[in-house]
Amino acid sequence: MARPTPPAGDASGPAPHPLFPLPAGRTLDICTELHTAILEHRLAPGMKLSEDEVGEIYGASRTVVRAALQALAHSGLVTIEKNRGAFVAKPTIREAHEVFQARALIEPPVARMAAQAMTESHLAGLKAHLDAEHAALHAGDMGRALALSGTFHTAIAEIADQQVLTAMVRSLISRSSLIIALYWKRADTACESHSHHALMKAFQARDGKAAEEVQKSHIVDLHSGLNLRAQEEAPTSLATALKR
Amino acid sequence: MARPTPPAGDASGPAPHPLFPLPAGRTLDICTELHTAILEHRLAPGMKLSEDEVGEIYGASRTVVRAALQALAHSGLVTIEKNRGAFVAKPTIREAHEVFQARALIEPPVARMAAQAMTESHLAGLKAHLDAEHAALHAGDMGRALALSGTFHTAIAEIADQQVLTAMVRSLISRSSLIIALYWKRADTACESHSHHALMKAFQARDGKAAEEVQKSHIVDLHSGLNLRAQEEAPTSLATALKR
DNA sequence: CAATTTAAGATCGTATACAATTTTTGAGCA
DNA sequence: TGCTCAAAAATTGTATACGATCTTAAATTG
């Protein structure tokens, strides 16, 4: 079984959020575990997610694993090929563009709404979020820091108190994490912190217009930080191993 | 078994589209059948969708029916309550507002993109779509006409050639169908045709700005055509039966 | 007679079993 | 050695079975 294996049972750590609205029972747990594992880049794009393997790791039957994988497939984090199984999704360059275009369309108005709905309690929550991100970065836990920088955007949508848009943002954020894993070209991951602090200032001032503009330029900046030139296609397993 | 039952096996008619990206095998068929049935208002909001019952109707096992119901739950057309089963979703007033706010945010820019990408072939397709809608309306098939007026919006997103946004629009359109079933207050359903023809004119002129504005006002108009006052809560089974 | 309790029935959540398909392995041959 | 083809192994798709939970109905009791 010399094959890329899912993470060991150490997948602990508090889940960022209850996730999507559908599954019942233990399906949700597995869904959450896989979700956070993907967001923290512990599961690389393209990895096979065997039903038996995942089930054995989490002590669950294939039935519930299947439901979890189908849920993740629906949110774009997993690709299911008929009779071949589930894989961690590998967004194409085109999809990467589309995801960030959609984010540039949706998130700035959401930030404006959030600024208008912002309370002191909300501000404290966001502040704690940034602190946690900073702490993770300082502790060298890159994956966790990246996941937190993503959920910061989700938190904004939740403050805007728009459940429908929040679900969309959450999905786009998750897919962005995969896209960054594949196409990020800058070495500096801390550049995001800067924009997030700028957003905080706009929120503290309850300046919706400023929040909208900062968010817009932040997302455009993220988009431009990707290397989305057409490149070699899918030498995932063999060439990668033989590269050195 | 005196209970609201799903439609009989006559659920034929060409599906509007391949639907969502996830399920495999016969799951997709059942998903599509239920989806179109909901869009055509043959399945009323709140109806119970028993796994056994649906499975018997379509000649499938509970396994695949479950997968289909979970997929529909993820797209917001079905609500699953733990240990109680699946029901056709019954959007709240708040959700209705949010869905149309999201549509007002997303669809106008999509219409602008579509106008820019519009070819003669695309125009012919939209024209055929409107004709089919008109024919269904003339034939008295209200449900089908309504479903077609919804897929007209989806078709626009597809022409814009944005798969990520198209998936979002498709989901919003589907949920709008449920919302209209619950909250529509006007008697005139043909009012939409007017806006759709205005859109066609903008598309023919390749006038992106006009398309965006027409679409915006169209969606605001739809939103205002809903009766979203707080009203009596859920007297679905008893009071409804005793009303006359 | 109405309200409460209890038991029967129905439905869902999960595990397991079998069939269908794909992938891998290895033998045979040019 | 390299290629083709066939058989075995592994994996998924679907059906069925059983335990848990909820719903419904009956029976009991004040």
Side-chain angles (χ1 to χ4, degrees), chain A residues 157-234:
Chain A
E158 280 167 355
I159 291 169
D161 204 30
Q162 289 273 341
Q163 298 176 345
V164 170
L165 289 174
T166 297
M168 290 179 173
V169 168
R170 199 194 311 274
S171 173
L172 291 172
I173 295 295
S174 302
R175 297 166 83 170
S176 295
S177 177
L178 281 176
I179 291 165
I180 287 171
L182 280 171
Y183 301 114
W184 191 249
K185 66 181 177 189
R186 295 188 195 148
D188 55 339
T189 52
C191 70
E192 309 187 33
S193 273
H194 193 291
S195 296
H196 288 182
H197 281 289
L199 267 172
M200 282 298 290
K201 283 191 68 172
F203 288 148
Q204 280 161 351
R206 267 78 172 177
D207 188 340
K209 191 83 181 104
E212 179 167 359
E213 285 169 8
V214 170
Q215 184 71 299
K216 177 77 180 249
S217 68
H218 173 38
I219 291 168
V220 169
D221 187 48
L222 284 177
H223 192 168
S224 71
L226 300 173
N227 177 25
L228 296 180
R229 308 282 158 214
Q231 52 196 5
E232 78 284 358
E233 186 53 41

Side-chain angles (χ1 to χ4, degrees), chain A residues 12-222:
Chain A
S12 61
H17 254 290
L19 209 62
F20 301 96
L22 79 84
R26 286 218 293 300
T27 302
L28 181 62
D29 299 331
I30 296 178
C31 211
T32 307
E33 290 294 333
L34 292 176
H35 184 104
T36 67
I38 292 175
L39 254 61
E40 294 181 358
H41 289 188
R42 300 200 312 271
L43 260 49
M47 264 190 184
K48 178 95 202 278
L49 295 174
S50 157
E51 295 178 356
D52 278 326
E53 219 163 348
V54 175
E56 191 152 357
I57 289 172
Y58 294 119
S61 152
R62 275 183 56 213
T63 307
V64 302
V65 173
R66 248 181 106 73
L69 290 174
Q70 288 178 352
L72 291 171
H74 197 109
S75 47
L77 292 184
V78 157
T79 303
I80 292 179
E81 296 177 34
K82 172 157 175 156
N83 282 321
R84 285 187 28 89
F87 305 81
V88 178
K90 231 169 114 174
T92 63
I93 291 173
R94 172 186 174 159
E95 186 180 337
H97 278 300
E98 290 195 4
V99 164
F100 276 88
Q101 284 169 11
R103 289 186 61 179
L105 173 64
I106 295 173
E107 289 197 52
V110 168
R112 179 171 43 76
M113 293 187 242
Q116 289 162 359
M118 192 72 56
T119 67
E120 288 302 318
S121 165
H122 289 147
L123 279 172
L126 288 181
K127 182 67 166 51
H129 202 123
L130 284 186
D131 289 344
E133 186 181 340
H134 189 272
L137 207 66
H138 204 69
D141 192 345
M142 230 47 158
R144 182 148 192 78
L146 186 68
L148 284 169
S149 89
T151 52
F152 184 78
H153 287 249
T154 309
I156 292 171
E158 280 167 355
I159 291 169
D161 204 30
Q162 289 273 341
Q163 298 176 345
V164 170
L165 289 174
T166 297
M168 290 179 173
V169 168
R170 199 194 311 274
S171 173
L172 291 172
I173 295 295
S174 302
R175 297 166 83 170
S176 295
S177 177
L178 281 176
I179 291 165
I180 287 171
L182 280 171
Y183 301 114
W184 191 249
K185 66 181 177 189
R186 295 188 195 148
D188 55 339
T189 52
C191 70
E192 309 187 33
S193 273
H194 193 291
S195 296
H196 288 182
H197 281 289
L199 267 172
M200 282 298 290
K201 283 191 68 172
F203 288 148
Q204 280 161 351
R206 267 78 172 177
D207 188 340
K209 191 83 181 104
E212 179 167 359
E213 285 169 8
V214 170
Q215 184 71 299
K216 177 77 180 249
S217 68
H218 173 38
I219 291 168
V220 169
D221 187 48
L222 284 177

Side-chain angles (χ1 to χ4, degrees), chain B residues 2-244:
Chain B
R3 185 182 284 235
T5 54
D10 66 348
S12 61
H17 254 291
L19 211 63
F20 301 97
L22 79 85
R26 286 219 293 301
T27 303
L28 180 62
D29 299 331
I30 297 178
C31 211
T32 306
E33 290 294 334
L34 292 176
H35 184 104
T36 67
I38 292 175
L39 254 61
E40 294 181 358
H41 289 189
R42 300 201 311 273
L43 259 51
M47 265 191 183
K48 177 96 202 278
L49 296 174
S50 158
E51 295 177 357
D52 279 326
E53 218 162 348
V54 175
E56 190 151 358
I57 288 172
Y58 294 119
S61 151
R62 275 183 57 215
T63 308
V64 301
V65 173
R66 246 182 109 73
L69 290 174
Q70 287 179 352
L72 291 171
H74 197 109
S75 47
L77 292 184
V78 157
T79 303
I80 292 179
E81 296 177 34
K82 172 157 177 158
N83 282 323
R84 284 187 28 89
F87 305 82
V88 178
K90 231 168 113 175
T92 63
I93 290 174
R94 172 187 174 160
E95 186 180 336
H97 278 298
E98 290 195 5
V99 164
F100 276 88
Q101 284 170 11
R103 289 187 60 177
L105 173 64
I106 293 173
E107 289 197 53
V110 168
R112 179 171 43 74
M113 294 187 242
Q116 290 161 0
M118 192 72 56
T119 67
E120 288 302 319
S121 165
H122 289 147
L123 279 173
L126 288 180
K127 182 68 165 50
H129 202 123
L130 284 187
D131 289 345
E133 184 181 342
H134 190 273
L137 207 67
H138 204 70
D141 192 345
M142 230 50 159
R144 181 146 193 79
L146 186 68
L148 284 169
S149 89
T151 52
F152 184 78
H153 287 249
T154 309
I156 292 171
E158 280 166 356
I159 290 169
D161 203 31
Q162 289 271 341
Q163 297 176 345
V164 170
L165 289 174
T166 297
M168 291 180 172
V169 168
R170 200 195 309 276
S171 173
L172 291 172
I173 295 294
S174 302
R175 299 167 83 170
S176 294
S177 177
L178 281 176
I179 291 165
I180 288 172
L182 280 171
Y183 300 114
W184 191 248
K185 67 180 177 191
R186 297 187 194 150
D188 55 339
T189 52
C191 69
E192 308 187 33
S193 273
H194 194 290
S195 296
H196 287 182
H197 282 288
L199 268 172
M200 282 296 291
K201 282 191 67 172
F203 287 148
Q204 281 161 351
R206 266 78 173 178
D207 189 338
K209 191 85 181 102
E212 179 166 1
E213 285 170 9
V214 170
Q215 184 72 298
K216 177 78 180 247
S217 67
H218 173 38
I219 291 168
V220 169
D221 187 48
L222 284 177
H223 191 169
S224 71
L226 300 173
N227 178 23
L228 297 180
R229 308 281 158 214
Q231 52 196 4
E232 77 285 356
E233 187 53 41
T236 24
S237 51
L238 197 135
T240 301
L242 301 181
K243 186 161 286 182
R244 64 182 61 247

